[in-house]
């Protein structure tokens, strides 16, 4: 069944981890957020809102459509005075125009059928010369084979029926590029990012994380029995893998600029 982001029982599965240093290092190589005003659109549980503050942003506003997610995000960032949260849609945030130096849209666009309104809203939010950073998975990213790092590949090896669901909600690289251009943004660069998701000291720790479906919306398509079968399949694949296991996710990142 699809995940309900308004469900209080789901919100904590998106706030129980911190952004990995691999992500912060990558972002720093693209843009220096020190003393910058940042909008984190589709902020979910505030994981990356918090990371942006820790990287030196002067003020970060997290936006999400889900009130329950925003409650969790506010709690996750409760000790950070420069973080604020606002309920709104990606295409209609309700935030002021020309008020931000950077807009981050991480793991957002696969929830949207039409990308152009979202990108036009980012243009409105950005000050002149501001930067939009879009991070999401293309179909190619999703269907890379499974190994001891790319555990998601095993999801589709064990349950091929998940492929159609996963690919169906993802945008091709060309679609994203076209929508950015149509919104009036200049694509500066695009690249693949292997972001470290988590390190597991033993297989039992990995099994527990998978069974909780932590931050993996695609696993809500499986019944509890199917999920248990998947966990057994993955741990069987990894029996001989050296510990700790470092899980990584493949993403495509598009960096665009407001003229």
């Amino acid at each position: 069944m699809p995940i309900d982001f308004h469900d209080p029982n789901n919100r904590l599965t998106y706030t129980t981890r911190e952004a990995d240093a691999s992500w912060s290092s990558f972002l720093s190589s693209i843009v220096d957020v020190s003393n910058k005003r940042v909008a984190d659109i589709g902020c979910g549980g505030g994981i990356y809102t918090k990371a942006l503050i820790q990287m030196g942003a002067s003020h970060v506003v997290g936006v999400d459509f889900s009130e329950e997610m925003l409650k969790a995000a506010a709690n996750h960032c409760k000790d950070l005075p420069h973080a604020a949260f606002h309920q709104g849609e990606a295409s209609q945030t309700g935030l002021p125009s020309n008020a931000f130096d950077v807009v981050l849209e991480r793991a957002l666009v696969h929830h949207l059928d039409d990308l152009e309104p979202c990108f036009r809203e980012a243009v409105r939010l950005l000050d002149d010369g501001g930067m939009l950073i879009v991070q999401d998975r293309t179909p190619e990213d999703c269907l890379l084979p499974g190994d001891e790092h790319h555990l998601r590949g095993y999801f589709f090896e064990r349950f091929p029926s998940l492929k159609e669901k996963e690919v169906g909600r993802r945008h091709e690289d060309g679609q994203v590029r076209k929508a950015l251009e149509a919104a009036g943004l200049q694509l500066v660069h695009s690249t693949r990012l292997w972001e470290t998701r988590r390190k597991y000291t033993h297989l039992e720790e990995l099994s527990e994380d998978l069974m909780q479906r932590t931050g993996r919306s695609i696993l809500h398509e499986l019944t509890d029995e199917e999920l248990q079968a998947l966990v057994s399949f993955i741990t069987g694949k990894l029996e001989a893998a050296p510990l700790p296991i470092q899980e990584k996710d493949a993403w495509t990142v598009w960096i665009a600029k407001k003229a």
Side-chain angles (χ1 to χ4, degrees), residues 21-119:
S22 61
W23 183 86
S24 300
S25 176
F26 173 81
L27 192 71
S28 294
S29 72
I30 296 171
V31 58
D32 181 4
V33 299
S34 299
N35 300 313
K36 297 291 197 310
R37 303 160 296 169
V38 184
D40 180 9
I41 311 300
C43 66
I47 294 170
Y48 294 86
T49 306
K50 183 176 182 178
L52 289 161
I53 292 288
Q54 292 172 334
M55 293 170 65
S58 61
H59 186 63
V60 182
V61 180
V63 178
D64 204 276
F65 79 104
S66 169
E67 182 179 357
E68 290 299 332
M69 283 293 185
L70 290 173
K71 289 178 183 177
N75 183 65
H76 191 62
C77 299
K78 62 184 177 182
D79 298 323
L80 301 174
H82 301 298
F85 296 95
H86 179 81
Q87 189 171 14
E89 300 287 340
S91 60
Q92 193 172 2
T93 62
L95 299 179
S97 301
N98 309 111
F100 298 93
D101 304 299
V102 178
V103 170
L104 172 67
E105 296 178 352
R106 183 192 179 279
L108 168 68
V109 299
H110 70 274
H111 295 293
L112 308 175
D113 294 327
D114 187 359
L115 300 183
E116 192 175 333
C118 168
F119 293 161

